[in-house]
């Protein structure tokens, strides 16, 4: 078996974009260790947008730096309804994504029926390079992988475009 090529960091990946960085999220729960304390504060009502801004400062700086170069950064989320607590938390954080320069849209899962989707969340860079983010059943991140296969990139571009066209902009998406 051929060893997998190393997957670049998000800084390297997004910094390589010259036109677009598209992100499709399809899970209702992510068990990201770095978010545990933020989630605890959010659930208890102690969390503020300033807390989120501190936690996401590095991400926001990265997105701001690439959008200032003219790169379009768009994030689409397919979610089950009624939404999970995690999706409510993501929704609460999304104004920070927008502030950094991302566009964010939401699509209820029932409205995604009929869209051919890849089996995993992904980032698509300049419609040529795909980073698949894999997760275990309980939402733990596992090894990501990359693909530069033109057919895979085309599938992801088509899936993202179809989701984006049906999805609701963040400010109009009710929970």
């Amino acid at each position: 078996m051929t060893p997998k090529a190393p997957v670049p960091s998000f800084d390297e990946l997004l910094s390589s974009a010259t036109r677009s960085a598209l992100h499709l999220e399809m899970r209702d729960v992510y068990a990201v260790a770095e978010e545990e304390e933020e989630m605890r504060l959010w659930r208890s009502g102690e969390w503020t947008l300033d807390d989120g801004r501190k936690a996401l400062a590095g991400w926001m700086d990265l997105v701001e730096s690439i959008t200032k170069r003219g790169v379009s950064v768009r994030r689409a989320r397919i979610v089950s309804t009624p939404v999970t607590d995690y999706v409510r938390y993501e929704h609460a954080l999304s104004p920070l994504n927008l502030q950094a320069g991302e566009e964010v849209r939401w699509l209820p899962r029932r409205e995604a029926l009929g869209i051919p989707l890849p089996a995993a969340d992904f980032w698509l860079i300049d419609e040529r390079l795909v980073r698949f983010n894999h997760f275990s059943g309980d939402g733990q991140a596992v090894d990501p992988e990359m693909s530069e296969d033109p057919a895979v990139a085309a599938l992801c571009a088509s899936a993202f475009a179809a989701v984006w066209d049906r999805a609701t902009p963040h400010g109009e998406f009710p929970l």
Side-chain angles (χ1 to χ4, degrees), residues 1-51:
M1 189 159 107
T2 308
K4 291 181 184 175
V7 175
S9 70
F10 278 114
D11 281 6
E12 294 169 314
L13 182 69
L14 270 64
S15 294
S16 75
T18 59
R19 294 181 315 280
S20 63
L22 310 176
H23 187 35
L24 182 62
E25 298 177 3
M26 298 182 281
R27 296 184 55 88
D28 291 315
V29 175
Y30 295 88
V32 181
E34 302 87 55
E35 293 176 342
E36 286 179 14
E37 180 61 13
E38 290 292 305
M39 281 288 298
R40 186 195 68 71
L41 290 170
W42 178 81
R43 280 190 178 111
S44 71
E46 300 171 50
W47 180 87
T48 67
L49 208 51
D50 283 337
D51 293 323

Side-chain angles (χ1 to χ4, degrees), residues 1 7 11 13 27-28 41 48 54-55 59 63 65 77 83 95 102 105 109 111 113 120 133 149 153 155 165 169:
M1 189 159 107
V7 175
D11 281 6
L13 182 69
R27 296 184 55 88
D28 291 315
L41 290 170
T48 67
K54 288 175 193 164
W59 178 255
V63 172
S65 73
R77 293 177 168 136
V83 299
E102 286 187 54
R105 290 190 182 181
R109 194 167 308 282
E111 295 177 30
L113 297 178
N133 295 325
D149 180 328
L155 168 67
D165 286 346

